[in-house]
Every structure is written in structure tokens, then in C-alpha cells.
Amino acid sequence: MAHAPIEFPPPVDSAAEFVGPPTDDPDERIEVGVAIVGGGQAGLACAIRLLQLLADDEELTERLGEVPVAVIEKGRVAGAHQLSGGVMNPSAIRELLPDDDSWPHYGEVKRETVYFMPNRKRAIPLKPTPPPFKNHGNYVVSVAELNRWLGEKAEEMGAYILTETTGQKLLVDEGKVVGVRTGDKGRDKAGGEKGNFEPGSDVMAQATVLAEGCWGHLTGAALKALDLAPKDPQVWALGVKEVWEIEQPFEKVVHTLGWPLRAGAKWKEFGGSWIYGMNREGETPKVSIGFVTGLDWTDARFSVHDVLQEFKLHPLVKKILGDGKRVAWGAKAIPEGGYWAMPKLHAPGMVIAGDAGGMVNVPKLKGIHYAIESGRLAAETIYRQLKDGSSDFKGYEDAVYKSKMGQELYESRNMKQPFGKGLVVGGALTNAMVLTKGRFPGGHWATHRDSEAPLRYSGREERYPKPDGKYTFDKLSGVFLTGNATRDDAPSHIKLQQRVPREVADAWTYMCPAGVYEVPEDAPEEGMVDLIVNPSNCVQCGAITAKGGRLTPPEGGDGPVYQIT
């Protein structure tokens, strides 16, 4: 009998454990005006826009208190946990900061090619370039760099950025969100207090913004506790990325479809690759290369990290990377449910912005500018309502759906789902949707949880190349490049059942790009096994939540410190 991960849910009740009233004495609470959870592009754009508006409003600034805007960021710096391909549409950042074009990038996209790879040797260019892959006028960026820059801008304007701080619990009082409780620090593996223990604090706010990124801990809890969940479940993809230094500049953007993925519908291997030139005057030329695949795959031994290593053996890729050197690695989940899987974006006292709200255009591979735009729209609604003494932020959701972003998300609402029928049929249906802007085939194509996919074996792992440490790599060498310094004696932040059928244990082990999960060497080939979990390896990609577990925040400051991802 084939098992699916959803049959073995994590031992956690998000609504009960992570949502509740304030517990600190009133005189020990930290009072801020607006609390923004997440120092990514959505949260920082929100902070910047709020401070732009408050700069000319002394009365409201005074009402918001000594700290009008606070950003709670779990990484060591803004951008520490940020990773994307990434090609950014510059429209949103230019609207946010019209007089400042100094944001970091690696050049404007001027040349692009999409290839279909039928096998490990051939690459067929698709001409003309399919419309979703046209990137002329967009820019290659590192979101880790971009968010450090945005963080500096926000601080210059007066934002208080609390790095190495997690949002552990959403504070709700009489049906209204009133802030967040930060996580404890200095607990041992069993949860006991070490000598350097610091308890978390209740951060009370007149408005709370959840901008936690692809898998939002508090967002997930809020969807259940505050009845914000959409009718269709969110689905995700997992992307694994490397950055290479190369001898000669690579001056275009490449995407590929096909090999090494299998086209058959039963495997549900939907995804592809990117190769982006990263060129900046005075720096060694680099390329961003990565592979992304939907997390509803059915092969218990499918591994995106190892598929990327396999992909690098293609002659087209070897010609680009040449005798280069890998200098960075990372992994991140991507929300791909689109329009139908977007939650309700507001509750009394609270809004949800960016990837936490599922704002990603799947066919266009774009989400960075949506995050910035949603942060700006959230700030404008919050400012307007707080000025009127109201905590009703419904106008934010209305603004999102009326914006160009909302229109594009509606047009692409059914463009991921057809690939459940395989690459050929799915590609044909999606092209029809692109050409008709979603009108044909129309209707509502439902999404299904990634963890519902029954698992099977095929010997897929036999194709993965053996790491040589120079061109192909194992998982732990990538984790080392991230600067991950999570304590080995910290409590586990990963909630999942550890005694599961062998195929579920294999699925989690192969899925994880950071080697967090291990099947014991003496485990039986069939039946139940006891999974080994190594939480200190975790790079916060979020994939385990999609595939049947539950990621919660680690201790503040733990996890990767991405630099150029």
C-alpha cells in the first residue's frame, strides 16, 4: 500500500500553541506603533512607506509612541534567510523609492533564451521566447543583498529593526490582533533554561504586519485561528541554488524545461532551471544557477539538490560553468498555489503581505516586486486607518486585488494546476491560458496539498552523480557555505512524526536539501522506521511544512547567513 505524508501529521496544534492573549505584566510589555514580522522585501517596503508617510504627520507619529515602526527579523541581519533566482521587475521598487536608483543589482536583462532539454545531451532553443519568460527591462538581483540595502534604508528613516528575534506567538485579545510574542533564547535541547536564558517578550502594536516569507510560522497559525484560510490549499515548489564565479561574463538569462525531470503525469515533476549572469563592474563575473520543482512529486527518492547536480552535467551547462568555482549555495520553498490559494489578507489589527500571502506569479517566475508592492499597499492602508483611529484593514485586501498585481494573479490563476497532467498536456493548456490571459480554459482549477501525493519508488536515485567536491557536491558542503551556525544543543524547531513508513522517511530525507533527516543504516526496506532528525543543519527552506511536517522558528539568529543568494 502506497502511503502519503499527510497520513502522518506533525504533533502540533498551530492555533492553540502559537496564538493567544498577552501574558507579560502590562508594565513589562514592549509598546510599538506598527510591528512588522519579517525583514524581507515585503516587510521592509512596508516599513519604508510607513515612515515616508509619517515624516509629514507629527500627530500620528506621536500617537504611535517612541517606536513608531519595528521590524522583527529572525536572521542575524535583514536578508540573512533570503534567497531567490532572482530576476526582478523594477517597477515596484522605483515606485517605493522614486528618487533612489542605488539598489544593488547585477545588470539589466538584455538577452534571454529558453531551452527544451529532451535528454542529457541535447538542448533545443524555443523561438520565439515564450511570453512568460520574457525579461527584457528586468534586473538580475540577489535578494539577500537587496534586503540588506532595504534594511539600511529603513533604519535611516527611523525603523527599529530587531534582528536575531523570532515572532513566536501571535497575540490576540478579544478577536483583535494586538502584537506578537518573541521567542525565548538560551534553552537546551530538552527545553530547559540554560545559564544565558532570556525569555521572550510581548510586543504590543496598534497594527501587525505578517511578512514572513514563503512559509510563515505566525501566518500558518493565523490562517487556522482567525479563519483566514482559502478554500484551496497552498502548494509549494522547492528551489536549490548555487552561485559560481566564472572566468568570462555570462551576459544573458537562460531557463530550461524538460530533462532531468520526467514528463509522465504519474511522477508530477513540474519545474525547470535558471542560469542568470551576475555581472558588476570591479567584481569577478558570476552566475546564479538553480533548479526548482513542485513539491507534489511522487517519487520517494526525488531530490532537487541532486537533480541540480545532475543538470550541471549537461554540455550546455558545463560550457557556462567551465573551470569556475562554487561560492554560494542555498534553498528555499516558493508558494505556487496562486490566486485560488491566497488567504484572506486581513484580520482586525493585522495584514498579511508578500510570499506569506501567496503573491507569486508562477508562469512568469516573479514575486519580488509583488512583495514590495504589497508591503507598500499595506503601509498606505495602515497609515490611513490608524489616522482615523481604526484597526479595520480590509482596504488593503481590496487594494491588492485592484492593483496590476491582483489582475496578473487572476489571469494566471489556473496555470500551475494543468501540469498535474504531465509536461506536454500541461504545457499546451498553460500556453492557451497565457495567450487568452486566463480566459481559456477558464473556470476554477483546484489545488491539492503537496503532502497528499502517494509515494512510490523507481530507482530515481541511481541517476544522481556521485559528488566530486569540485563540480558536483553533497548537501552538507552546501550547508557549510551558508554560514549556518545553529546550536547543536538547541531545542528542535522541526515538528514531525519520527516513526513513519519507510517511503515517507525516504521522501523527507531525499527532499531536504540540507541533510536534516536521516534513515538509520539498519532500518528495514519496508514497514515503519525511526527517522533521525538533525535540526542544526536546517537552512529554513520551509519544504518540510509542504510535505507533511511543520517548521517553527529556531532560536533568533540561527540558520543561514546568505550573502549573494
Side-chain angles (χ1 to χ4, degrees):
M1 175 183 175
H3 290 284
I6 198 169
E7 299 169 33
F8 305 91
V12 62
D13 183 342
S14 293
E17 292 186 40
F18 306 128
V19 178
T23 54
D24 284 347
D25 290 336
D27 58 351
E28 294 179 352
R29 297 172 186 173
I30 299 172
E31 301 281 348
V32 304
V34 179
I36 299 169
V37 185
Q41 53 268 21
L44 293 170
C46 183
I48 288 168
R49 184 59 182 144
L50 272 169
L51 290 161
Q52 287 171 339
L53 294 166
L54 290 171
D56 297 321
D57 194 331
E58 191 174 323
E59 180 190 354
L60 181 55
T61 302
E62 189 173 332
R63 270 200 277 145
L64 294 179
E66 292 184 11
V67 182
V69 178
V71 179
I72 297 169
E73 166 54 39
K74 69 182 188 295
R76 272 178 256 176
V77 294
H81 293 178
Q82 294 288 313
L83 179 145
S84 181
V87 171
M88 182 181 77
N89 179 326
S91 58
I93 198 166
R94 285 176 172 163
E95 185 163 358
L96 178 70
L97 296 164
D99 300 321
D100 189 346
D101 234 13
S102 67
W103 41 273
H105 61 80
Y106 290 91
E108 184 177 352
V109 178
K110 295 181 179 178
R111 296 172 57 208
E112 58 201 351
T113 306
V114 180
Y115 292 96
F116 173 69
M117 291 183 170
N119 53 46
R120 64 175 54 246
K121 297 292 186 184
R122 297 182 62 205
I124 303 167
L126 302 182
K127 297 182 179 179
T129 300
F133 292 97
K134 290 182 178 178
N135 279 289
H136 278 243
N138 295 332
Y139 286 77
V140 177
V141 299
S142 153
V143 288
E145 277 189 344
L146 180 67
N147 283 299
R148 285 198 300 274
W149 184 87
L150 287 169
E152 291 168 2
K153 291 293 174 186
E155 284 189 308
E156 288 171 7
M157 298 175 71
Y160 184 39
I161 301 183
L162 295 86
T163 55
E164 302 189 34
T165 305
T166 63
Q168 186 68 28
K169 188 172 185 178
L170 192 66
L171 300 180
V172 178
D173 193 13
E174 296 183 353
K176 177 184 173 182
V177 177
V178 293
V180 299
R181 182 170 181 81
T182 62
D184 296 342
K185 289 186 177 183
R187 289 193 180 275
D188 61 26
K189 187 169 286 191
E193 298 178 6
K194 292 166 63 75
N196 61 346
F197 174 74
E198 298 176 19
S201 299
D202 288 348
V203 179
M204 309 300 292
Q206 297 178 39
T208 301
V209 180
L210 300 186
E212 300 172 287
C214 66
W215 164 248
H217 164 66
L218 295 181
T219 305
L223 297 191
K224 291 185 177 181
L226 304 180
D227 196 24
L228 307 180
K231 290 183 179 179
D232 284 15
Q234 184 58 267
V235 297
W236 284 274
L238 176 61
V240 177
K241 171 179 181 172
E242 296 178 352
V243 178
W244 282 64
E245 289 183 345
I246 55 174
E247 292 182 0
Q248 299 297 324
F250 182 68
E251 296 180 328
K252 68 175 181 177
V253 160
V254 166
H255 293 96
T256 76
L257 303 168
W259 183 89
L261 300 182
R262 294 172 288 190
K266 71 177 181 179
W267 303 116
K268 294 188 177 180
E269 293 177 7
F270 165 66
S273 81
W274 74 82
I275 309 173
Y276 302 156
M278 298 174 69
N279 304 304
R280 185 181 285 162
E281 189 175 349
E283 295 185 7
T284 302
K286 293 184 280 291
V287 291
S288 162
I289 178 170
F291 214 96
V292 60
T293 309
L295 275 157
D296 59 343
W297 64 68
T298 61
D299 195 305
R301 291 180 176 169
F302 185 90
S303 161
V304 181
H305 171 86
D306 292 298
V307 166
L308 173 59
Q309 307 312 308
E310 184 181 7
F311 170 71
K312 284 158 45 184
L313 300 178
H314 195 284
L316 174 75
V317 184
K318 293 183 81 170
K319 185 177 179 181
I320 295 168
L321 297 183
D323 295 323
K325 177 185 177 183
R326 187 180 73 157
V327 294
W329 174 95
K332 203 74 174 176
I334 306 159
E336 285 198 337
Y339 182 88
W340 299 122
M342 288 174 62
K344 187 177 179 182
L345 298 175
H346 69 97
M350 186 197 82
V351 300
I352 302 172
D355 279 13
M359 299 176 206
V360 172
N361 188 315
V362 176
K364 290 187 176 182
L365 311 175
K366 295 289 177 291
I368 301 172
H369 72 295
Y370 283 1
I372 294 171
E373 177 70 359
S374 68
R376 182 182 68 81
L377 294 174
E380 291 176 354
T381 299
I382 289 168
Y383 170 79
R384 185 171 58 250
Q385 294 303 99
L386 291 183
K387 192 170 178 63
D388 290 343
S390 171
S391 57
D392 179 359
F393 303 133
K394 182 180 183 300
Y396 161 67
E397 182 170 283
D398 295 339
V400 166
Y401 285 114
K402 288 176 182 176
S403 69
K404 184 177 181 181
M405 166 177 56
Q407 294 167 13
E408 291 177 348
L409 286 167
Y410 181 74
E411 289 172 3
S412 63
R413 64 196 179 279
N414 293 321
M415 292 185 190
K416 163 72 161 56
Q417 297 89 314
F419 284 94
K421 299 180 180 293
L423 178 63
V424 176
V425 175
L429 289 167
T430 297
N431 280 336
M433 292 178 186
V434 170
L435 291 171
T436 63
K437 295 189 174 182
R439 288 188 287 272
F440 179 82
H444 179 171
W445 293 50
T447 63
H448 303 280
R449 296 185 191 281
D450 297 317
S451 57
E452 291 177 357
L455 299 166
R456 64 186 80 199
Y457 291 103
S458 71
R460 180 72 174 81
E461 71 279 8
E462 296 171 9
R463 289 171 41 181
Y464 302 145
K466 185 177 180 180
D468 62 17
K470 294 181 179 179
Y471 191 77
T472 55
F473 301 91
D474 63 16
K475 294 177 177 181
L476 293 185
S477 67
V479 175
F480 177 78
L481 285 178
T482 69
N484 189 350
T486 302
R487 284 193 295 119
D488 287 334
D489 64 344
S492 178
H493 59 284
I494 299 163
K495 311 298 181 185
L496 80 172
Q497 290 197 38
Q498 288 184 242
R499 184 164 180 79
V500 291
R502 176 63 189 253
E503 60 266 39
V504 175
D506 276 339
W508 290 342
T509 299
Y510 277 84
M511 171 202 70
C512 178
V516 171
Y517 314 104
E518 292 181 60
V519 175
E521 291 183 5
D522 59 353
E525 289 299 318
E526 296 181 1
M528 304 297 282
V529 302
D530 294 306
L531 195 68
I532 298 169
V533 181
N534 305 300
S536 61
N537 289 357
C538 183
V539 294
Q540 309 292 305
C541 77
I544 189 63
T545 298
K547 210 65 174 173
R550 173 63 154 86
L551 186 70
T552 68
E555 184 175 288
D558 284 358
V561 187
Y562 291 136
Q563 300 292 329
I564 53 172
T565 56

